[in-house]
Amino acid sequence: MVRKRCGLTDEPPPNRANTTERLVQLRAEMRRSHSVQGSPIDAYLITGSDAHQNEFVADKDRRLEYISGFTGDIGSAVITLDKAALWTIDLYISQANEEIPCDWLLMNQSVPVAEWLAGEVQSGRRVGADSKLISNSQWEILAKQLWDVSLYFIPIKNNLVDINWSPKPNHTHHEAIVHPIEYAGVHWYHKVAMVRDAMKIEGCDSLVVTALDEIAWLLNIRARDIPYYPVLSSYVILTKDQIYLFAHTRKIGTAVKDHLRIEGCFASNCVRLRPYDSILDDIATMAQKWKTACLPGEHLLTPGVSRAVFFTVPPEKRRTLVSPIARMKAEKNEVERKGMHTAHLKDAVAFCEAMSYIEKMINKGEEMDEIEIAELLDEARRAQLNNEGISFKTIVAFGKNGAFPHYEPKNTTVLMVDKTNLLLIDSGAQYLEGTTDVSRTFHFGRPTAEQKEMYTRVLMGLIDLASLTFPASVTLSEIDVMARAPLWSVGQDYNHGTGHGIGAFLSVHEGPILVSRHPTLQEVYKEGYFFSDEPGYYKEDHYGIRLENILEVISVNKTDAVEKYLAFKTVTLIPFEPKLINLKMLSPNQVKWLNDYYMRISNEVGAELKRQGRMDAFHWMISKVKMIPERAYAYGSASRVHNKLLCISSMLLASLIVFLQRTFLCD
């Protein structure tokens, strides 16, 4: 891929890294036999993940950023003895182009790693990686691809980046906390019983759990080991009569010990605490007694166990399956459902509070940049009861920065916000009651006709998906077209998924829910699922538009239907920008949905804003949710032909009446 701004006379972007010395040190380790436990390696793979394959990782695990300068969430790098290449998805290509040094190659998914290595490394040579940081499914795919081009993929026990990373960030020092039953809804030992029942059905006498959100949900505990992600770095091994928790013991205080019955209890519903770093050795020992060890494999947004964990269990005792915990966790219980609505109501209050102030300042001519706006949004959320921080780094992207779907404001790229262009905001928070994620796009001046059209098409897609009623057998991928159709009709699209699952005071991106164009997504919707509805439009170097609401899957009664039917209830309660909506493009159904939505915001958010005494925010909200009169959508796009026919019929009828009147008068 051609690198931008890498010519001799080009001015480099201010956020471009210099990693030359780090590459020199890494290549030296690749040639040292004691570092790689054997013959030197000719290439080294570095992922952006940690030992639990998390999307967000702690600072101590940001090895990809350290070696390349790339700060995106999805990517990997391959270092050979004379080249360095970074792979990422299309979503992050523009960002990577600016951040990584010009002596790096930038690759997209159309060029497989193995194919590239086949042209760079001689046949029969070794490619190494840290097997703790790659899921087993991805390891096996890459190992086969490398074998097909006569290269060997081998695990390296020492992490070659860590050897020379100094000073390397440390673990956090926060203790884990108990997630109370009034928010969790179900006691942890009841959840363990549910999982054991599922294990019995699957024929498993042990289950190794490495996904941190699954452990947090299972044991009703939370922590602060990962940014934006209230989880404890840990592993769990569950058998029919034992529960083992592998964690840094200093993080397990008295309250959690009492909660999990750790001290002096050895019954089947008591937890036994083991050191975090002993997991692989203990699996090897315990596996000698196991008949069938169930190891979660890769599924939607759930990568499964690492290659290191998988390979520790003898082959004849392994069984790979979709983690039963993932599906249980996604189906929120009644307490969690209520909590999610409570969290989103608080989030709406905070959002309205921040935006009322931001819009007032911009209209007064005050200078305000993207970082300041992000900080104001974060501060407004912190002011809400039971707030536990943000759920991901707040995206505030003005003008051309909005064309990067996952842009994060930094000192090197920050823009001042004014009335000349669109402002895209994607943000969310963690509350004890639930997790939020919302996107809105604003314009503080006069938007262009093009901006209004594209905003309206994105809004139409969001509404059409949210309005859907469908049989329960419909799969995740089948509804994606609803959100894209208004853009497709003018030859446009967006380069990311339409939706993802979301946790209850857990991960902002939760499996096994993923709405995208991928045809193999055979998972179906279930009552109690929560997921995002987030179409967008991005015009490179100009602006970006994204609108996002969280939806709850609910059941509906269809008396004549044999099959069960489902629908969606919108959970997010934040206004859209009325000046960006071209009302003439909307169908009657879309306007009805919008008016009903505005009524809910006015009633529910309005009451809470008044209760909290946030009257500036109340008036801002009221200004955004004015009802749309019926005449405004007489020529809605979805019923344009129908409306024109009605208009013609009315004209003909009027002419006929006039003719009859004249005839009658003449008589």
Side-chain angles (χ1 to χ4, degrees), residues 442-461:
F442 298 95
H443 199 303
F444 300 120
R446 297 183 63 182
T448 66
E450 176 192 276
Q451 289 171 338
K452 290 183 66 173
E453 178 187 351
M454 301 318 296
Y455 181 99
T456 306
R457 291 189 181 279
V458 172
L459 177 61
M460 290 162 64

Side-chain angles (χ1 to χ4, degrees), residues 206 280 282-295 308-319:
S206 64
L280 296 180
D282 280 18
I283 288 177
T285 301
M286 294 179 187
Q288 297 177 26
K289 298 181 180 180
W290 295 339
K291 293 181 180 179
T292 304
C294 282
L295 305 172
V309 167
F310 181 86
F311 204 68
T312 303
V313 178
E316 68 276 9
K317 297 186 177 185
R318 300 179 196 139
R319 183 176 173 199

Side-chain angles (χ1 to χ4, degrees), residues 240-252:
K240 64 180 180 179
D241 53 13
Q242 293 176 330
I243 311 167
Y244 292 93
L245 171 65
F246 295 79
H248 297 286
T249 53
R250 69 177 182 278
K251 293 177 178 284
I252 308 300

Side-chain angles (χ1 to χ4, degrees), residues 173-177 222-224 232 250-256:
H173 298 291
H174 303 285
E175 285 189 358
I177 60 171
R222 300 292 189 269
R224 297 183 180 180
L232 174 71
R250 69 177 182 278
K251 293 177 178 284
I252 308 300
T254 302
V256 172

Side-chain angles (χ1 to χ4, degrees), residues 350-364 366-368 372-373 376-377 379-380 444 616-618 620:
F351 198 96
C352 292
E353 175 81 0
M355 287 309 303
S356 66
Y357 176 79
I358 291 164
E359 186 166 313
K360 181 171 68 175
M361 291 298 102
I362 297 294
N363 286 335
K364 287 173 62 177
E366 297 286 338
E367 290 193 343
M368 191 174 293
E372 291 175 292
I373 290 175
L376 284 166
L377 285 160
E379 183 181 347
F444 300 120
D616 286 347
F618 174 82
W620 178 88

Side-chain angles (χ1 to χ4, degrees), residues 412-463:
T412 53
T413 60
V414 66
L415 292 178
M416 300 302 298
V417 177
D418 56 32
K419 296 184 177 184
T420 63
N421 212 331
L422 295 171
L423 175 68
L424 190 158
I425 297 174
D426 188 349
S427 60
Q430 298 284 5
Y431 301 88
L432 292 179
E433 296 90 348
T435 303
T436 69
D437 182 8
V438 58
S439 297
R440 289 292 184 268
T441 304
F442 298 95
H443 199 303
F444 300 120
R446 297 183 63 182
T448 66
E450 176 192 276
Q451 289 171 338
K452 290 183 66 173
E453 178 187 351
M454 301 318 296
Y455 181 99
T456 306
R457 291 189 181 279
V458 172
L459 177 61
M460 290 162 64
L462 178 144
I463 293 173

Side-chain angles (χ1 to χ4, degrees), residues 338-356:
K338 182 179 178 181
M340 288 291 281
H341 285 272
T342 299
H344 282 80
L345 179 59
K346 293 179 180 182
D347 212 54
V349 169
F351 198 96
C352 292
E353 175 81 0
M355 287 309 303
S356 66

Side-chain angles (χ1 to χ4, degrees), residues 553-603:
V553 181
I554 60 174
S555 62
V556 292
N557 291 323
K558 292 287 183 181
T559 54
D560 296 330
V562 176
E563 187 177 354
K564 180 179 180 181
Y565 270 68
L566 300 172
F568 303 129
K569 181 176 182 179
T570 300
V571 183
T572 307
L573 293 172
I574 294 174
F576 299 108
E577 176 53 75
K579 71 168 66 172
L580 283 166
I581 303 174
N582 183 342
L583 297 175
K584 293 182 179 180
M585 294 174 60
L586 301 180
S587 71
N589 287 338
Q590 290 165 345
V591 172
K592 181 182 184 307
W593 185 95
L594 204 53
N595 278 335
D596 290 345
Y597 185 58
Y598 283 170
M599 185 65 71
R600 282 187 62 202
I601 293 174
S602 179
N603 291 338

